[in-house]
Amino acid sequence: MIVEFLGQGLHLEEDETCGNHVCSAIKDKSFTQITIFVAFLRKPGLDYLAPFIKQARKENRNVTFYVGIDERVTSKEALELLLELDTETYIYYSESYIYHPKIYLFEGDRNRIITGSSNLTKSGLFYNVESSILLDFTNSDKSGLKIINQLKEFYSSFFDFTDPNLELLTSEYLDKLVLEDKVSSEEFSKGSDYNSNIHDNSKKRGGNPKITDLGNLEIKEKKPIKQYKSILKITEDYLAKWDYMFKKMELFYKENEHCTVPREYKDRTLYGWYSKQKQLFNAGILPKEHLEKLKTINFYFGDAHILYWEKKWLDSYGQLLEVYEKTGESNVKRYKDNTHPLFYISNWVALERGKYKKGKLKDWQIEKLEKIGFQWEMDGVRSLNNEDDWLDKLALLEQYKIEYGDCNVSQTFKEKKYSGLGKWLNDQRTYYKKKRDFLSEERIGLLEDMGVIWDMDVYNFDQRIKEIQDYKTEFGDFNIPSNYKPNPNLGNYVYRIKTKGIKEDWKIEKLHQIGFFEIGTKTKKDKSGHITQNWFNNLNKLKKLEKPDIKKDNKENPKLAKWLHNQKRTFRYGRLKDEQINELKKLNIKLPVRSKKRKRWDEYIEIIELFREEYGTKEITSEFDKEIYIWVNQQKANYRAKALKIEKVEKLKELGIIESE
């Protein structure tokens, strides 16, 4: 999988905008299904995509839009252009909540997802300060396909057209939106209203980037990180704020008697300004008048990390010195109770001994410690496997916990500064499990005080058990949908238990204890029956009605009526699942006659499946069945013309009608 960060608007280099990447992906013939979810759509932005969409449609590639109309940002002109481009477009509008995604999905021989903050407006695609993530992956990439499956499950009511808030864009429906004042008109607002100024133009700055050479970006492995040359440029905004920031720096100097602003300082903007002064100085472009002012407060232009860590060391040494002056002892014993007043300094003392053994202490630090009788070797501290870097790793684990909030560092964790920490922690767990002498009681205590969990499998499973119990408490069952918003992964996790089961007896016992017995009881066929919670919520609303089979134009329950109408339409085209059909029949819902075209497809597929079971990979000939033989050849021709939907292509490949690449 290739992962790229896309940023625009912050620097002068603007060639790799989100808009350029979207145009490039639409142009790419390997993407046969293009699906775009956007909250805002404006014609000045869509104009740049239009030539590429037009070409894609000529090549029989599918382009589908799901567009929001909240806040009247989406314009009549943009929707008219989509109709002109012959794209399949659906309008999403809800009285209950705002529709606000920005997802550009490309599927085909490989897949690509671009998602972030960029709406389909000129400013959003090319000018604004926006950020997106691009994922590009093959059809064999499990992680990538998982993301697509999660996306499609979340938007399942869009893909099966059952969402009551969806409406197909037609000329008639667009007229209705204009009449109800739900979309804006660009014709009367160019440069004169909020939408036009914000979404169709950029703010005034040194010059808008030119939007040229679109559609030619390539996604490559091991692409170097982009270096923005404009970062060090001295801008008008920077100069206008310099005196204000210098006054902040002066105040910091008076309070701290130095100008070394730590990275974690409460005012992060001051740290950023302080850092930039050094960058400009090192680049030789710091204005002379600024340099003179900074000299008046003894501004240090060298590497402040050395000064900072030396100061931290001296602060800790000062605490040890206080203990020495009061007790006459600098070799503080280890305290495991983190509420003890000497807990911090006792740990610091142990870490300094570890640094000394590794040669990481400076001469002046060694001299200061030895002056107060500090001993480098203490009984019971490093008596076992004295050559290892155990205390160094403990310090590194503490740093990890400060940064990430726990000690659960994975062996596959790849951040360079924590290299080897996951393996080291796993070794400690192994020593603990096997009761190796290497892991002394003192070391066990140190690890437990820091919050180390000895058995992650038990810990993770207990967390899942708690999540499952919480769901049962709230909803009364274990039928967790895959789109369960508080915990999106929980539904899929439970479904795997129901279909694949669990091997470990202790896990099965824990599930039984909470009343969960559906372990490996569902078949693969049942998997296709996985239905979202939203569907069941609407079904329950129907159950409360005296006459559930309401018409599409029902005025008392318009949303529910539209939802039921969509269920009937979905059934007609053979997309409704068996369980859904049964549930609707229980309510005496009259379902329509199945689509003849879809019914014919299903019948022929069923016959071919029987043929495969009987004759294996043999070719279907006219002698076997002339009508099916003609139909099969027609599907092959449709495939060559790229006129088949992806789901049909996959089914024909599965049956060996068309060859997999």
Side-chain angles (χ1 to χ4, degrees):
M1 179 188 291
I2 300 174
V3 181
E4 293 284 349
F5 171 82
L6 311 181
Q8 66 182 56
L10 200 58
H11 306 289
L12 300 181
E13 298 90 343
E14 298 292 357
D15 51 324
E16 294 200 24
T17 58
C18 180
N20 199 352
H21 275 284
V22 171
C23 289
S24 299
I26 297 173
K27 181 181 177 182
D28 193 328
K29 293 181 181 179
S30 64
F31 299 125
T32 55
Q33 174 62 53
I34 300 162
T35 310
I36 296 175
F37 303 80
V38 284
F40 301 153
L41 181 72
R42 304 280 293 178
K43 187 174 181 294
L46 185 59
D47 280 337
Y48 288 99
L49 274 61
F52 302 101
I53 294 173
K54 191 174 183 180
Q55 183 60 33
R57 294 299 298 127
K58 280 184 180 179
E59 295 162 356
N60 288 319
R61 294 190 283 137
N62 298 321
V63 182
T64 305
F65 278 79
Y66 295 96
V67 182
I69 55 172
D70 292 295
E71 301 178 14
R72 294 186 68 255
V73 178
T74 295
S75 70
K76 172 177 73 75
E77 289 80 2
L79 296 177
E80 286 173 340
L81 180 54
L82 283 183
L83 288 172
E84 183 184 324
L85 291 169
D86 187 31
T87 63
E88 187 178 358
T89 302
Y90 295 88
I91 303 300
Y92 185 92
Y93 179 71
S94 169
E95 295 285 354
S96 304
Y97 35 77
I98 291 175
Y99 175 75
H100 213 247
K102 299 98 178 176
I103 304 171
Y104 303 85
L105 172 63
F106 306 90
E107 299 173 89
D109 295 337
R110 68 181 200 284
N111 307 283
R112 186 175 298 170
I113 300 173
I114 301 173
T115 183
S117 62
S118 290
N119 263 306
L120 214 162
T121 66
K122 187 176 181 181
S123 297
L125 291 175
F126 301 104
Y127 292 157
N128 291 346
V129 176
E130 307 276 7
S131 300
S132 299
I133 293 294
L134 180 150
L135 307 175
D136 188 277
F137 49 92
T138 65
N139 287 316
S140 60
D141 189 310
K142 291 183 180 179
S143 297
L145 295 178
K146 178 183 176 183
I147 294 171
I148 285 186
N149 290 335
Q150 288 173 328
L151 187 155
K152 288 188 174 181
E153 177 60 27
F154 181 80
Y155 287 105
S156 59
S157 60
F158 284 39
F159 285 101
D160 62 17
F161 309 103
T162 59
D163 195 300
N165 298 309
L166 278 184
E167 189 71 44
L168 179 68
L169 178 65
T170 61
S171 298
E172 294 76 18
Y173 184 57
L174 178 55
D175 290 341
K176 183 173 181 288
L177 292 176
V178 172
L179 187 64
E180 293 174 354
D181 201 28
K182 287 182 177 175
V183 294
S184 59
S185 174
E186 296 175 20
E187 184 179 355
F188 301 106
S189 62
K190 288 181 180 178
S192 62
D193 76 343
Y194 176 84
N195 283 339
S196 177
N197 289 329
I198 295 299
H199 299 291
D200 302 336
N201 306 290
S202 71
K203 290 184 179 180
K204 185 178 180 181
R205 55 178 176 177
N208 294 332
K210 293 181 180 179
I211 305 173
T212 57
D213 195 29
L214 294 178
N216 296 315
L217 294 179
E218 293 184 16
I219 303 302
K220 298 178 180 178
E221 291 275 10
K222 298 181 180 179
K223 180 181 176 183
I225 295 174
K226 185 170 184 177
Q227 300 296 318
Y228 294 95
K229 295 178 181 178
S230 60
I231 286 177
L232 278 180
K233 289 199 173 181
I234 297 175
T235 63
E236 290 182 11
D237 290 338
Y238 166 80
L239 291 172
K241 200 173 181 181
W242 197 92
D243 287 331
Y244 168 74
M245 295 304 297
F246 179 73
K247 287 179 181 178
K248 279 190 175 185
M249 189 77 250
E250 277 187 310
L251 183 61
F252 179 90
Y253 176 69
K254 288 176 183 178
E255 292 176 351
N256 298 278
E257 298 181 352
H258 65 80
C259 291
T260 304
V261 183
R263 186 183 294 271
E264 65 272 15
Y265 185 62
K266 59 185 178 182
D267 185 349
R268 301 298 291 274
T269 61
L270 183 60
Y271 169 79
W273 184 86
Y274 151 80
S275 180
K276 187 158 188 174
Q277 305 315 298
K278 296 203 294 182
Q279 291 172 7
L280 293 172
F281 176 82
N282 292 330
I285 56 175
L286 182 69
K288 186 177 179 181
E289 60 272 23
H290 292 175
L291 177 61
E292 295 303 320
K293 278 192 173 184
L294 290 169
K295 283 181 178 179
T296 63
I297 56 172
N298 298 318
F299 192 93
Y300 181 68
F301 289 99
D303 186 356
H305 286 90
I306 297 171
L307 294 177
Y308 174 72
W309 287 111
E310 285 181 358
K311 184 179 182 302
K312 273 200 100 174
W313 191 93
L314 287 169
D315 287 344
S316 299
Y317 173 78
Q319 293 182 41
L320 180 61
L321 187 61
E322 286 181 17
V323 174
Y324 175 73
E325 289 172 347
K326 288 179 181 178
T327 66
E329 179 61 65
S330 61
N331 298 296
V332 183
K333 71 172 185 177
R334 175 82 65 183
Y335 287 96
K336 297 180 182 179
D337 182 3
N338 60 11
T339 63
H340 194 283
L342 296 179
F343 173 77
Y344 168 78
I345 200 61
S346 71
N347 280 277
W348 182 80
V349 162
L351 293 174
E352 294 312 293
R353 289 194 175 99
K355 291 177 185 176
Y356 175 82
K357 193 70 178 178
K358 287 288 183 181
K360 294 182 179 179
L361 283 181
K362 296 178 179 178
D363 290 342
W364 65 269
Q365 293 172 324
I366 295 170
E367 185 180 346
K368 276 186 170 293
L369 288 168
E370 288 181 345
K371 273 186 179 180
I372 58 174
F374 194 81
Q375 296 178 22
W376 300 112
E377 293 289 347
M378 294 291 290
D379 293 337
V381 176
R382 294 180 69 89
S383 58
L384 294 171
N385 201 2
N386 204 30
E387 68 276 9
D388 76 82
D389 62 346
W390 198 89
L391 286 173
D392 286 339
K393 290 295 188 185
L394 183 68
L396 195 60
L397 183 62
E398 184 178 32
Q399 187 177 340
Y400 177 90
K401 183 179 180 180
I402 290 169
E403 188 170 349
Y404 292 99
D406 59 47
C407 297
N408 305 329
V409 54
S410 166
Q411 290 190 72
T412 58
F413 192 67
K414 293 182 179 179
E415 193 170 335
K416 193 173 182 180
K417 65 180 177 180
Y418 297 117
S419 176
L421 184 60
K423 184 183 183 305
W424 176 83
L425 182 58
N426 186 64
D427 289 343
Q428 308 312 302
R429 289 179 174 134
T430 302
Y431 300 148
Y432 179 84
K433 187 177 181 180
K434 295 183 177 181
K435 298 182 179 179
R436 292 276 299 275
D437 290 340
F438 171 76
L439 197 65
S440 64
E441 288 297 324
E442 183 187 18
R443 290 183 174 182
I444 291 172
L446 285 170
L447 290 166
E448 288 180 345
D449 287 342
M450 200 170 287
V452 168
I453 295 162
W454 295 115
D455 193 326
M456 286 302 296
D457 190 26
V458 172
Y459 172 79
N460 289 332
F461 191 74
D462 284 344
Q463 292 294 107
R464 287 298 194 186
I465 286 286
K466 184 180 182 304
E467 292 167 355
I468 294 169
Q469 272 187 304
D470 289 345
Y471 183 90
K472 171 76 181 298
T473 301
E474 185 172 354
F475 298 101
D477 57 44
F478 298 115
N479 300 322
I480 305 170
S482 57
N483 67 340
Y484 179 51
K485 290 183 180 179
N487 193 340
N489 295 322
L490 188 60
N492 291 328
Y493 178 79
V494 168
Y495 210 81
R496 283 198 300 273
I497 293 175
K498 291 180 178 181
T499 54
K500 294 183 178 180
I502 285 180
K503 294 179 181 178
E504 298 92 334
D505 291 337
W506 64 270
K507 288 185 178 179
I508 294 172
E509 185 179 345
K510 286 197 173 190
L511 287 168
H512 285 175
Q513 286 172 359
I514 64 169
F516 191 109
F517 297 97
E518 293 180 84
I519 303 170
T521 58
K522 291 205 170 188
T523 63
K524 288 184 178 179
K525 186 176 180 181
D526 292 326
K527 192 172 182 181
S528 64
H530 191 35
I531 304 168
T532 63
Q533 186 63 44
N534 183 59
W535 195 91
F536 283 110
N537 290 342
N538 283 314
L539 182 73
N540 289 331
K541 290 177 184 177
L542 276 183
K543 288 179 180 179
K544 294 177 182 178
L545 301 179
E546 185 178 348
K547 295 181 179 180
D549 196 6
I550 53 180
K551 303 298 181 185
K552 183 184 177 182
D553 57 355
N554 185 283
K555 294 181 180 179
E556 293 180 7
N557 299 282
K559 290 184 180 179
L560 194 59
K562 188 174 181 181
W563 176 82
L564 182 57
H565 173 75
N566 286 333
Q567 302 310 302
K568 292 179 178 181
R569 186 176 65 176
T570 304
F571 171 81
R572 186 169 184 269
Y573 289 100
R575 295 174 181 168
L576 214 57
K577 296 161 188 171
D578 291 341
E579 186 178 351
Q580 292 172 312
I581 295 170
N582 292 333
E583 290 292 339
L584 292 172
K585 284 183 176 179
K586 286 178 187 177
L587 298 178
N588 295 319
I589 302 297
K590 188 177 179 182
L591 297 171
V593 176
R594 292 282 295 276
S595 164
K596 290 181 180 179
K597 188 177 180 181
R598 182 72 195 193
K599 188 177 180 182
R600 185 185 182 208
W601 165 272
D602 290 340
E603 287 173 352
Y604 281 3
I605 288 294
E606 188 174 351
I607 293 170
I608 293 170
E609 285 176 338
L610 292 171
F611 179 90
R612 287 283 177 253
E613 288 179 14
E614 184 72 22
Y615 300 104
T617 58
K618 285 186 178 180
E619 190 174 351
I620 297 173
T621 62
S622 58
E623 286 78 15
F624 168 73
D625 189 306
K626 187 174 182 180
E627 190 175 354
I628 291 180
Y629 173 74
I630 294 170
W631 183 83
V632 164
N633 285 327
Q634 182 59 54
Q635 303 313 306
K636 290 178 180 179
N638 291 343
Y639 173 70
R640 287 192 294 271
K642 296 184 178 180
L644 284 176
K645 290 187 176 180
I646 292 174
E647 61 180 42
K648 291 188 176 182
V649 170
E650 294 301 324
K651 188 63 181 177
L652 293 171
K653 285 182 178 179
E654 179 186 325
L655 293 173
I657 302 300
I658 55 180
E659 294 181 1
S660 298
E661 289 80 358

